[in-house]
Amino acid sequence: MERLQKVLAHAGVASRRKAEELILQGKVKVNGKVITELGTKVSNSDTVEVEGVKLEKEQKVYYLLYKPRGVISAVSDDKGRKTVTDLLPLHIKERVYPVGRLDYETSGLLLLTNDGDFSYALTHPKFKVDKTYVARVKGIPLKEQLRPLERGIVLEDGKTAPAKVKLLSGERKTNKAIVEITIHEGKNRQVRRMFDAIGFPVQKLKRERFGFLTLHGLNAGDWRELTTHEIKQLRVLAETGKIGN
Ligand code: URA
């Protein structure tokens, strides 16, 4: 269910503010009835008309992007920085937006879609979709020093759920280590803050996996469409926390 003005804006009828005006002016009908309430929510099965013209239902689209560093996970940026939607081909007419966020400096797997329910299911922490990151950190942590991340660590906005953590390599000469970490929450800058909290700041961060999806076959800046099967599997994963065999 989405707010009527958002649905109108996404369908390209008008900006969200203009869409609100249209609603207040009684120019919008839902299932044949004039609606002037701004909070009204509609679903994909509702028929929406604006000034007597039926809204075309936008086809749902799903992309997997290998986000490079130095790109913002947003649809537009007031500072003029490159956004993730700038990396998709120009002919895509649907208004897609990122499923969750990766920091400006983080690279890796990012999904984009215009399917609000799908996006909600995959990002809400109660649905527990695992995300795996590879971090290059300053210093070489001992196993015991990584343990707090596995138990859950208190950050300013609450305790993190237990993470799976694996030290992949460490180099004495440069005093750096590579650590793999899997979490299912999506607090702001979570991985960076978790490593800060144990005294091993992240220097470089990449999201390698999202659920069962990987970056296999893609270079930074590349994208592909998800297959119908992957979309179904992701819905199952979000609902049940696992993929059936
Ligand atoms: N955690 C972070 O710190 N940054 C990201 O971009 C994603 C997870």
Side-chain angles (χ1 to χ4, degrees):
M1 299 287 276
E2 277 193 307
R3 289 163 82 87
L4 188 51
Q5 55 268 49
K6 189 168 166 191
V7 171
L8 295 179
H10 275 182
V13 170
S15 68
R16 195 138 347 153
R17 212 177 49 80
K18 273 261 156 46
E20 288 178 357
E21 282 171 22
L22 290 170
I23 296 168
L24 291 173
Q25 289 162 359
K27 293 183 174 166
V28 181
K29 281 186 188 168
V30 176
N31 303 327
K33 220 174 117 219
V34 173
I35 296 288
T36 51
E37 189 72 48
L38 285 183
T40 304
K41 290 197 169 175
V42 290
S43 78
N44 209 27
S45 57
D46 290 316
T47 305
V48 180
E49 266 173 76
V50 182
E51 296 177 312
V53 180
K54 246 200 212 160
L55 216 67
E56 283 303 323
K57 292 211 172 102
E58 195 176 68
Q59 215 185 327
K60 301 281 186 241
V61 290
Y62 307 83
Y63 296 97
L64 185 165
L65 173 73
Y66 183 164
K67 175 193 168 310
R69 285 188 290 153
V71 177
I72 184 160
S73 296
V75 176
S76 63
D77 182 45
D78 48 15
K79 294 192 194 125
R81 289 174 296 184
K82 194 177 221 182
T83 71
V84 285
T85 47
D86 290 338
L87 294 168
L88 296 178
L90 285 174
H91 67 261
I92 293 176
K93 56 180 189 324
E94 292 86 5
R95 291 161 57 117
V96 295
Y97 46 91
V99 176
R101 261 187 301 152
L102 289 178
D103 302 333
Y104 185 68
E105 277 309 323
T106 301
S107 65
L109 199 160
L110 184 70
L111 299 179
L112 294 113
T113 184
N114 55 352
D115 185 337
D117 296 337
F118 178 83
S119 188
Y120 174 80
L122 289 176
T123 47
H124 198 286
K126 78 177 180 205
F127 294 112
K128 295 198 172 61
V129 177
D130 278 349
K131 274 99 44 181
T132 300
Y133 298 84
V134 172
R136 187 180 80 201
V137 301
K138 182 159 178 270
I140 305 174
L142 299 168
K143 267 209 160 109
E144 303 88 86
Q145 291 174 303
L146 292 172
R147 203 80 74 207
L149 305 183
E150 293 173 333
R151 283 197 291 259
I153 197 162
V154 178
L155 301 177
E156 61 192 9
D157 48 352
K159 190 172 175 188
T160 62
K164 288 178 218 143
V165 190
K166 208 170 14 171
L167 178 68
L168 297 182
S169 64
E171 197 186 48
R172 296 233 166 274
K173 207 167 67 194
T174 53
N175 192 33
K176 285 173 189 157
I178 307 291
V179 187
E180 185 185 88
I181 178 163
T182 301
I183 59 174
H184 63 254
E185 301 156 298
K187 296 180 195 289
N188 190 30
R189 298 178 74 79
Q190 180 165 342
V191 173
R192 291 175 196 274
R193 290 192 293 134
M194 288 170 80
F195 279 101
D196 278 344
I198 58 162
F200 294 93
V202 170
Q203 294 178 328
K204 210 170 171 188
L205 187 63
K206 178 178 174 189
R207 180 152 74 190
E208 293 272 2
R209 283 199 292 282
F210 186 105
F212 56 88
L213 294 170
T214 70
L215 291 167
H216 182 76
L218 300 178
N219 293 313
D222 288 351
W223 59 273
R224 69 171 178 86
E225 282 189 60
L226 292 182
T227 65
T228 311
H229 187 60
E230 286 170 333
I231 297 162
K232 282 190 192 151
Q233 280 187 306
L234 282 169
R235 287 210 177 93
V236 172
L237 179 63
E239 274 164 29
T240 64
K242 57 182 186 292
I243 303 278
N245 297 314

